[in-house]
Amino acid sequence: MENVQILAAIDLGTNTFNLTFAEIKSKDEVQIKEKYKEMVRLGEGGISKGEIGKEAFQRGLNAMKKFKKIIDARGTNKVVALATSAIRSAKNGKDFIQAVKEQTNINIRVINGNEEAALIYQGIKHAVHLDKEEVLMIDIGGGSVEFIVGNANSAKLIRSINIGAQRLLDGFVKSDPISNSDIKSLRNYLQNELKELLLEIQEFNIRTVVGSSGSFETLGQVIASRQKKDITTLNEFTFTPTDFKPVFEQMIKLNTVKRLEIPGMDRQRVDMIVPGSILVDFILSHLPTVNTLKVSNYALKEGMIYNYVEEHAAQLSEFYAQFEQNIRTKSVRQLTKKFGIQQQHALHISQLASDLFNTLLPLHQYSSKEAELLKYGALLHEIGIFINRSGYHKHGQYIILNAGLAGFNSDEIIWLGNIVRYHRKSLPSFEHLHYNILSPDEQKKVNRLSALLRIATGLDYARRNIIKSVSAEIKRDKVILYVFAEDTPDVEIDFVQQNALEHFKFAFGLDLKLEHEVKKSSI
């Protein structure tokens, strides 16, 4: 694969060893590829004693040998392996590292807690859409829990505390289900361990918590199942403290057998979800300003990849001068390049769609969020041609739903897929699954944004790039759209009249009339 570096990143966690491959074309073109996971429970039976137990030692070694075979078969330019809490705090951690080196030739580097937290921050900010507002990021591992307060630009607070789910499980969960007295003891312990940290966090007036790794992913899946949401990805899945409370009650009141029956429960985390849930509830009880929780699919292992890319940018065969702050824009751009979209045409359609959105703002009254979705829909509207030009709007929806676009939550991916789906051919229909599952307000949004995209694509139907701007006059029963062009836009106007007027009437309840004015370029 020319001009592509293959990186294998191994995260040796307390419960799970993760192997992730990434293809790196440049500093801005990083694609997370195959992921492999081995539940080794390295901390089981020994973490409270400060050692890796004999059976856990062997499980970890077997996992690394398995990873070695996968890495050799895949082919890589570089392997990065980092060890965290369990190995960091174990008396025989060095023995484990040496055994792995001897049997696999993989070098493991032990990182401290703050470095682990910093890498987790790197991972989260490449998966979740952050802005200027500070959020609290929490990664509940088996040995330690990492706390980060930060935004899209920087981390303001980083802490790593040895209160991981496996440590709490070994130290406080003495019965199944957990007893009230053990819950009280655990909460008292957390109060002692987190007292000073929580005082620091409270100064930021946190409204959003972003959780990564197993416990949060399990909680997110259970809550999504309770809400009967058919989500394509847990990334950016959002819930509230009110949504969390009944799930927390289930976790502490039910025994293991009953917890396994809960829809969405991860069998491998059915025991550690108990102390994990108590920890989340404890934190929320001390941060009353929190009203939103989000799940991040990325954490340490992805942070390792992006950190490697930043550190080695000068060595990459291609790289861009600046690293884009908006993860959504970056992931959409990568997708357009991957599927060979004609960039100039896509950018022109995006500009026309944005102009239509802005000139019709008094009519639809949508925010910058909808404007952003329309822009991305415009950039991706022809992505389905990669599969087949016939029905490419349907193929485009399929690609968007399954491409794993970073920075978008599950709802936004469905909206975006629908916008692309309905920019041509048939109108939105309840017979189509991914439209029918939307709420009435969401359907209205799709109707209107896809109508604007349909008009925008029509205005460059002949790909002459002659339409330079538009403006609208909104009347009681109709909208007059003024089209300003460098040449007579007869082909474009005719196409819009034949293919977009019905959709506009369907979406906005008004007729659309087009008028044009030719302004020849002076050059």
Side-chain angles (χ1 to χ4, degrees), residues 100-118:
V100 170
K101 172 65 176 175
E102 291 173 354
Q103 298 190 37
T104 69
N105 201 34
I106 293 175
N107 293 305
I108 298 171
R109 183 169 73 87
V110 179
I111 57 175
N112 63 41
N114 285 343
E115 185 177 359
E116 182 179 353

Side-chain angles (χ1 to χ4, degrees), residues 214-225 231 234 237 239 264 295:
S215 292
F216 266 99
E217 289 180 343
T218 300
L219 289 172
Q221 190 62 62
V222 170
I223 292 170
S225 298
I231 56 176
L234 269 178
F237 174 69
F239 56 98
V295 178

Side-chain angles (χ1 to χ4, degrees), residues 345-441:
H345 176 65
L347 288 170
H348 185 53
I349 297 301
S350 177
Q351 184 58 57
L352 289 173
S354 295
D355 289 348
L356 287 164
F357 182 94
N358 292 331
T359 194
L360 292 171
L361 189 60
L363 185 61
H364 56 70
Q365 296 183 346
Y366 286 143
S367 69
S368 58
K369 178 180 179 181
E370 286 77 19
E372 191 180 18
L373 282 174
L374 179 60
K375 178 183 76 172
Y376 296 140
L379 292 172
L380 296 172
H381 78 279
E382 287 190 334
I383 195 170
I385 292 175
F386 182 86
I387 296 177
N388 196 317
R389 180 168 287 276
S390 176
Y392 72 81
H393 53 302
K394 299 177 185 178
H395 303 318
Q397 181 184 40
Y398 174 81
I399 291 172
I400 289 167
L401 292 177
N402 294 278
L405 282 166
F408 295 85
N409 63 35
S410 181
D411 288 338
E412 290 168 335
I413 288 173
I414 293 174
W415 298 338
L416 186 58
N418 276 306
I419 291 167
V420 169
R421 166 69 174 82
Y422 297 119
H423 88 274
R424 66 190 294 266
K425 299 296 184 178
S426 65
L427 298 181
S429 171
F430 292 113
E431 295 181 0
H432 302 152
L433 171 64
H434 289 98
Y435 179 79
N436 190 42
I437 62 175
L438 301 178
S439 69
D441 284 344

